[in-house]
Amino acid sequence: MSESRTLVLEAARKYHLEQEGKAEFVPGVTEIWPSGAVLDADDRLALVEAALDLGIAAGERSRRFESRFARLLGRRKAHLTNSGSSANLLALTALTSPALGDRRLRPGDEVITVAAGFPTTVNPIVQNGLIPVFVDLDLTTYNTTADRVARAIGPRTRAIMIAHALGNPFEASEIARLAREHDLFLVEDNCDAVGTRYDGRLTGTFGDLSTVSFYPAHHLTTGEGGMVLTDRPHLARVVESLRDWGRDCWCEPGRSNTCLRRFQYRMGTLPYGYDHKYIFSHVGYNLKSTDLQAALGLSQLDKLDGFVAARRRNWQRLREGLDGVPHLLLPEPTPRSEPSWFGFAITVAPDAPFSRAALTDHLESHRIGTRRLFAGNLTRQPAYADRRYRVAGDLSNSDIVTEQTFWIGVYPGITEEMTDYMVATVKEFLRSRT
C-alpha cells in the first residue's frame, strides 16, 4: 500500500472517531428511530478505499460480495442489484423468460401473494401483466399460512411470491412443498429477514429464487442495493441477462470473449458473427450496483451475527416488557422459527377504548418513531384501484392491520435503555386510557 493511500485511510479513521461521539440518551428528547443503519469506522474506511480505487461501477468487490453472500445462504448463485425492489422485479420477471419454455409465466397467469405488505413484492406481478391473487394473514405472526395459500390455488396459478413479515418467517417448508406438488414457482422475498431460520434452515433458501434488500433500514446495508439468489443455474443466467440490459453475453465488465466464440454466434435474424457483446436475448434493464456499495456490504457482512443477536434481544425485551398489557395484540414468532426481527408489531384490539392514532401520536410525541405495517391491505391503495387481481377468501385481518396495526423498532442502534423507555411509554399511555 502506498504511503499516500495509508495516510488517507488513517485520516479517514481519525475523522470517523472525531465524528462518532457517543451521545447520551435523553428520554423524550433523543429520537428513537424504528429502523436505521449501524455504521462504524471499518464501514467508512471500506467506502473511502473503494473511492480511492474509483469503484464507480460493478467490479471485483461486487463479485466478492455476491460470492460471500451466496455462501452465507448456501445458494449457488447471487446477483447484486441496485435495490431490493429491483431484486424482486428481476426474480419475478425471470419466470417470464422464453428460456423457460412451456413453464414460463405469461400475461394473465396468476401469482399468489399476501394482501398486506410492502408493494414491491406485488408490483412485479402487475408489471409483468400477471394477476395477483391476494390472501389474508394471521394476526399474531403477520404472515399468511400454507392453508390459505392452498385454498387460493386455481387453474391459472403458476407461482407464489411472498415476503417474510418483519423478519418473522412464513411457513416456508409447507409452502415450498405446496409449490412442488402443484408445479408452481416460489419466489421468497427475504428482504426483511436475513438471518431468520425456519425448521432450522435459513430463509432465502426455500424458493426457486429469493431476494434481499440492503436499504439502510435492513439487516445489512450498502446504502441502496439488493440481491437475487438461486440454486438454479438457468434462472441465474436469466436474472443476469435481465439485470445487464438483457444482453446474451456473460462477460464481466471490461472483459471480452469469455466464451471464446464472441464472433461465431447466429441468433435471431442477425447476421452470423454479430458481436455477442451486443446480442440481446431479453427485454432487460440496467439494474447493477457499484463497487462502492459492494465495499460497504462486505464490511457490513462481517457484523451480521452481532446485528441479528441485537435485533433478537431488543424484540424479546419489548415482548417481555409488554406481556399482559390490556387492549394490545402482541406478536408471536412463527412456530419452529428463529426470527431475525425487522420490527415489533402491535395491533390495537378493535374493542380498545382508544385508537391506533391516539397511541402512535403519544409515542411520536415522546420521540418514539412508529411505522404502519407498510401499505396495509393493498387492495385499498389507490395504485391498485384499476388493476386486475383476485382475492382468495376474505381479507378481514388485512383490514385490521390497515386500521389497527403499527410497529416500533428493534434495530441494533436501539439500546436496552431505549427499549425500556418504549415499554414505559406504552404503559403510561395505557394507564391514562384504561
Side-chain angles (χ1 to χ4, degrees), residues 247 249-252 254-265 275-277:
R247 68 179 187 163
C249 176
W250 58 88
C251 289
E252 296 287 351
R255 298 185 183 180
S256 299
N257 207 23
T258 303
C259 64
L260 303 178
R261 296 180 55 220
R262 178 178 171 187
F263 297 106
Q264 298 173 41
Y265 284 86
D275 188 347
H276 192 225
K277 289 178 73 69

Side-chain angles (χ1 to χ4, degrees), residues 215-362:
Y215 188 71
H218 289 99
H219 292 62
L220 301 172
T221 188
T222 60
E224 302 282 355
M227 194 87 81
V228 184
L229 300 105
T230 185
D231 278 339
R232 303 178 185 274
H234 68 289
L235 288 177
R237 180 71 196 94
V238 173
V239 168
E240 182 177 41
S241 174
L242 288 165
R243 181 195 65 175
D244 298 3
W245 304 283
R247 68 179 187 163
D248 197 72
C249 176
W250 58 88
C251 289
E252 296 287 351
R255 298 185 183 180
S256 299
N257 207 23
T258 303
C259 64
L260 303 178
R261 296 180 55 220
R262 178 178 171 187
F263 297 106
Q264 298 173 41
Y265 284 86
R266 184 186 296 279
M267 298 184 70
T269 60
L270 293 168
Y272 173 79
Y274 200 85
D275 188 347
H276 192 225
K277 289 178 73 69
Y278 294 98
I279 295 177
F280 298 88
S281 50
H282 291 93
V283 178
Y285 313 89
N286 178 7
L287 300 178
K288 297 190 300 301
S289 187
T290 70
D291 265 15
L292 281 165
Q293 292 160 287
L296 179 55
L298 285 164
S299 178
Q300 286 267 295
L301 199 53
D302 293 333
K303 296 178 270 286
L304 178 59
D305 288 347
F307 287 165
V308 171
R311 287 174 176 276
R312 287 175 175 158
R313 283 195 306 271
N314 288 340
W315 190 93
Q316 191 63 34
R317 198 173 184 91
L318 285 170
R319 187 63 180 77
E320 291 172 0
L322 293 173
D323 192 46
V325 298
H327 307 301
L328 299 182
L329 306 179
L330 300 183
E332 297 287 351
T334 302
R336 310 196 315 275
S337 76
E338 301 169 63
S340 175
W341 296 101
F342 182 77
F344 187 91
I346 297 173
T347 296
V348 176
D351 60 352
F354 54 87
S355 66
R356 174 182 62 187
L359 176 51
T360 56
D361 286 351
H362 180 80

Side-chain angles (χ1 to χ4, degrees), residues 16 31 96 161 167 169 198 219 291 334 338 387:
H16 182 90
E31 188 160 10
T96 70
M161 187 169 182
Y198 184 75
H219 292 62
D291 265 15
T334 302
E338 301 169 63
R387 302 293 182 173

Side-chain angles (χ1 to χ4, degrees), residues 20-26 30 418:
E20 192 175 33
K22 194 167 181 65
E24 179 186 0
F25 171 63
V26 180
T30 306
M418 293 174 179

Side-chain angles (χ1 to χ4, degrees), residues 87-311:
N88 278 347
L89 176 62
L90 289 169
L92 198 282
T93 304
L95 301 180
T96 70
S97 169
L100 274 60
D102 291 341
R103 288 207 71 199
R104 68 182 290 199
L105 273 59
R106 298 176 183 274
D109 286 341
E110 293 182 344
V111 181
I112 296 170
T113 191
V114 177
F118 203 77
T120 54
T121 309
V122 175
N123 290 350
I125 302 170
V126 174
Q127 289 160 341
N128 278 283
L130 305 166
I131 309 301
V133 178
F134 290 115
V135 295
D136 208 6
L137 45 69
D138 179 86
L139 279 179
T140 56
T141 68
Y142 297 94
N143 283 291
T144 194
T145 58
D147 286 345
R148 287 182 172 95
V149 172
R151 291 194 295 270
I153 296 171
R156 293 217 64 176
T157 305
R158 302 295 307 284
I160 303 165
M161 187 169 182
I162 303 177
H164 299 289
L166 295 178
N168 202 19
F170 59 77
E171 296 172 343
S173 299
E174 294 87 339
I175 290 175
R177 188 181 307 120
L178 269 177
R180 290 192 300 272
E181 290 171 353
H182 292 271
D183 195 28
L184 309 177
F185 290 109
L186 174 59
V187 179
E188 191 182 356
D189 183 334
N190 198 40
C191 290
D192 288 351
V194 173
T196 289
R197 291 182 180 272
Y198 184 75
D199 280 343
R201 178 174 163 186
L202 284 169
T203 55
T205 65
F206 292 87
D208 297 284
L209 295 145
S210 65
T211 61
V212 173
S213 173
F214 300 122
Y215 188 71
H218 289 99
H219 292 62
L220 301 172
T221 188
T222 60
E224 302 282 355
M227 194 87 81
V228 184
L229 300 105
T230 185
D231 278 339
R232 303 178 185 274
H234 68 289
L235 288 177
R237 180 71 196 94
V238 173
V239 168
E240 182 177 41
S241 174
L242 288 165
R243 181 195 65 175
D244 298 3
W245 304 283
R247 68 179 187 163
D248 197 72
C249 176
W250 58 88
C251 289
E252 296 287 351
R255 298 185 183 180
S256 299
N257 207 23
T258 303
C259 64
L260 303 178
R261 296 180 55 220
R262 178 178 171 187
F263 297 106
Q264 298 173 41
Y265 284 86
R266 184 186 296 279
M267 298 184 70
T269 60
L270 293 168
Y272 173 79
Y274 200 85
D275 188 347
H276 192 225
K277 289 178 73 69
Y278 294 98
I279 295 177
F280 298 88
S281 50
H282 291 93
V283 178
Y285 313 89
N286 178 7
L287 300 178
K288 297 190 300 301
S289 187
T290 70
D291 265 15
L292 281 165
Q293 292 160 287
L296 179 55
L298 285 164
S299 178
Q300 286 267 295
L301 199 53
D302 293 333
K303 296 178 270 286
L304 178 59
D305 288 347
F307 287 165
V308 171
R311 287 174 176 276

